[in-house]
Amino acid sequence: VLICLLLIFTVILSFSSRRKDIPVGKSPLVSEIIYPCQKLTLSLSNKVSYAWQSTVYFFNLKKDNKKLNNELSLLKKQNNDLSEVIQENERLKILLDYKKKTKYKLILAAVISRDINNYFNIISIDLGYKHGVRNDIPVITNDGVTGKVVNVFPETSHVMLITDYNSRISGMIQRTICIGSIVGKGGSICEMKYLSINDEVKNGDIVVTSGDGKFPKGLIIGEVFSVSKASDDMSLNVRIKTAVNILKLEEVFVIEKE
């Protein structure tokens, strides 16, 4: 468009210059045609210049925005990593405080993988045969019983959680000393079997290890949340919520053999 207007402007000037009696600047043709064209050309030139400057500004803004987003993502990652470190330090402090106070010889282990579904509840830890770990050794946290070692490798081990359907440990109602067998029911639930209908059990009762078998006496297993009469009318169905949050295990203790 600008080129066409310049060509028209040149032609008109050429025509006007042939008339020597009228100066170019005073020519009615120049006044009526050239000046409006000049005005239009200037307006278009300003708009083109503004559009170009806006385009450059937009691309620079987009570039700066991308840079800021990258920096923000990096800061978020650093903040998340810092939060993880802080939480880990808090967990380790609690565990180490518990280790100092308890009478058991404990080895701290990290959970490196887990296979938890409706029936099987198995985790892997970073301690194995080289560290003195053996089958059937109890595994706990500061909150209570976690499970027991079922497979040992040179540097890792598998731990069956107390919520696994194949798990069996001896437990008792802390308040009334009623003893039964604790079996896993998946999730964070266990069931206490072989309690007589005459045994005194109620919601809120704390269940601990009875000392029979592999586990020392008095370790917390969980809390009773459901008590009902069994179908045989001679025993009780007692359901327990585990004290340990099975789904959020990060570190555990292995109890060393004497």
Side-chain angles (χ1 to χ4, degrees):
V1 176
L2 289 174
I3 294 174
C4 292
L5 290 173
L6 288 172
L7 288 174
I8 295 171
F9 178 69
T10 303
V11 171
I12 294 174
L13 283 178
S14 175
F15 174 78
S16 300
S17 63
R18 295 178 182 177
R19 298 187 59 183
K20 299 181 179 179
D21 56 326
I22 303 176
V24 175
K26 300 294 185 178
S27 171
L29 186 60
V30 171
S31 300
E32 295 178 8
I33 298 178
I34 299 303
Y35 289 161
C37 287
Q38 285 179 327
K39 186 176 180 182
L40 177 61
T41 302
L42 181 61
S43 175
L44 288 173
S45 176
N46 289 337
K47 289 180 179 179
V48 170
S49 176
Y50 176 77
W52 173 254
Q53 291 175 0
S54 297
T55 302
V56 171
Y57 174 77
F58 171 77
F59 280 107
N60 287 336
L61 186 63
K62 188 176 181 181
K63 183 178 179 182
D64 291 341
N65 188 55
K66 184 178 180 180
K67 182 180 178 182
L68 288 173
N69 283 333
N70 290 337
E71 291 176 353
L72 181 60
S73 297
L74 179 61
L75 288 173
K76 284 182 178 179
K77 183 181 182 303
Q78 291 175 342
N79 184 62
N80 183 65
D81 292 343
L82 181 60
S83 296
E84 286 289 331
V85 171
I86 292 173
Q87 290 176 16
E88 182 180 3
N89 287 339
E90 290 176 350
R91 290 197 309 271
L92 291 175
K93 183 178 183 302
I94 293 171
L95 289 169
L96 292 176
D97 286 344
Y98 175 77
K99 183 178 180 180
K100 290 177 183 178
K101 295 174 182 177
T102 186
K103 60 183 178 181
Y104 308 113
K105 291 183 178 180
L106 305 176
I107 311 175
L108 184 63
V111 176
I112 55 177
S113 68
R114 61 193 74 211
D115 180 14
I116 298 177
N117 54 47
N118 289 334
Y119 292 94
F120 303 107
N121 288 249
I122 304 290
I123 61 172
S124 296
I125 59 174
D126 64 349
L127 296 181
Y129 191 84
K130 291 182 179 180
H131 308 95
V133 179
R134 300 292 184 268
N135 279 335
D136 292 328
I137 286 182
V139 178
I140 65 173
T141 72
N142 58 297
D143 291 323
V145 176
T146 301
K148 67 177 182 178
V149 175
V150 290
N151 290 307
V152 184
F153 307 98
E155 296 183 350
T156 61
S157 299
H158 290 163
V159 177
M160 178 190 290
L161 303 177
I162 58 172
T163 52
D164 190 289
Y165 273 68
N166 294 312
S167 174
R168 300 286 188 278
I169 65 173
S170 180
M172 67 179 182
I173 304 298
Q174 190 178 53
R175 182 176 59 88
T176 59
I177 323 296
C178 297
I179 296 176
S181 178
I182 310 299
V183 299
K185 288 297 178 181
S188 297
I189 306 301
C190 291
E191 188 172 84
M192 195 168 186
K193 292 184 173 295
Y194 311 123
L195 287 176
S196 166
I197 195 170
N198 297 318
D199 287 333
E200 187 182 349
V201 185
K202 65 180 181 179
N203 288 346
D205 276 342
I206 301 300
V207 181
V208 298
T209 52
S210 65
D212 299 334
K214 306 296 181 180
F215 287 83
K217 184 178 181 179
L219 294 173
I220 296 177
I221 296 173
E223 181 180 322
V224 175
F225 72 89
S226 174
V227 180
S228 60
K229 186 186 296 184
S231 57
D232 60 9
D233 290 331
M234 298 177 62
S235 58
L236 295 174
N237 288 328
V238 177
R239 294 180 68 86
I240 303 162
K241 181 174 177 57
T242 58
V244 174
N245 190 337
I246 298 297
L247 301 178
K248 292 187 177 181
L249 287 172
E250 295 290 343
E251 297 88 15
V252 295
F253 283 122
V254 175
I255 299 180
E256 289 190 74
K257 279 190 172 182
E258 297 293 338

